[in-house]
Amino acid sequence: QVRLVEFGGWPVLAGGSLTRTCATAGLARPCMYWFRGTPGHVLEGRELVAQLATAIRNAPPTYTGAAQGRFVVSYDYATKTFYLKMNNLQPEDTYMYYCAADGREDCTTRPDYWGHGTQVTVAS
């Protein structure tokens, strides 16, 4: 059974940092993603933040939009945990953040599995 369990959402002040954690189970070497969106947002409306092909050791992550230069993703192969370190957070980064995964090794940007999402709120 595939599970994606997320941790690490709490309010933060503008300019601060926050690390999101996604513990995975039931997947071999998936492509992992972080998305963000408003609560209840349909899947197609969620914004891709970053992706990482875990099947390729030391593969460079891909970042999009506002994540570039401020966010860093990493994957712990021993614990199969996916991380999102967000730096210099701004109020416009206030969203629900979702961990997601493909059920295959290559990255499709249309993941098969989703975490429950947690709210990140950045106060000015």
Side-chain angles (χ1 to χ4, degrees):
Q1 183 180 2
V2 176
R3 287 180 292 148
L4 303 176
V5 181
E6 300 171 49
F7 305 91
W10 50 78
V12 63
L13 293 176
S17 297
L18 185 67
T19 298
R20 297 291 322 287
T21 299
C22 177
T24 76
L27 294 167
R29 294 173 294 179
C31 184
M32 297 295 305
Y33 306 88
W34 288 102
F35 282 80
R36 67 185 188 182
T38 55
H41 217 162
V42 296
L43 298 184
E44 289 76 13
R46 294 177 181 172
E47 175 190 1
L48 176 64
V49 173
Q51 67 183 54
L52 177 65
T54 67
I56 305 171
R57 290 273 181 162
N58 301 315
T62 299
Y63 300 98
T64 64
Q68 294 201 23
R70 296 190 301 132
F71 295 1
V72 179
V73 296
S74 59
Y75 185 76
D76 185 322
Y77 285 87
T79 63
K80 295 188 176 182
T81 304
F82 190 43
Y83 297 94
L84 173 65
K85 175 72 183 297
M86 299 181 285
N87 301 303
N88 190 24
L89 284 162
Q90 299 299 318
E92 53 266 34
D93 294 315
T94 296
Y95 283 103
M96 289 286 288
Y97 283 76
Y98 300 89
C99 173
D102 277 315
R104 49 194 288 175
E105 294 183 358
D106 54 323
C107 296
T108 67
T109 70
R110 299 181 65 85
D112 302 298
Y113 305 101
W114 291 85
H116 52 82
T118 54
Q119 178 69 32
V120 172
T121 300
V122 184
S124 57

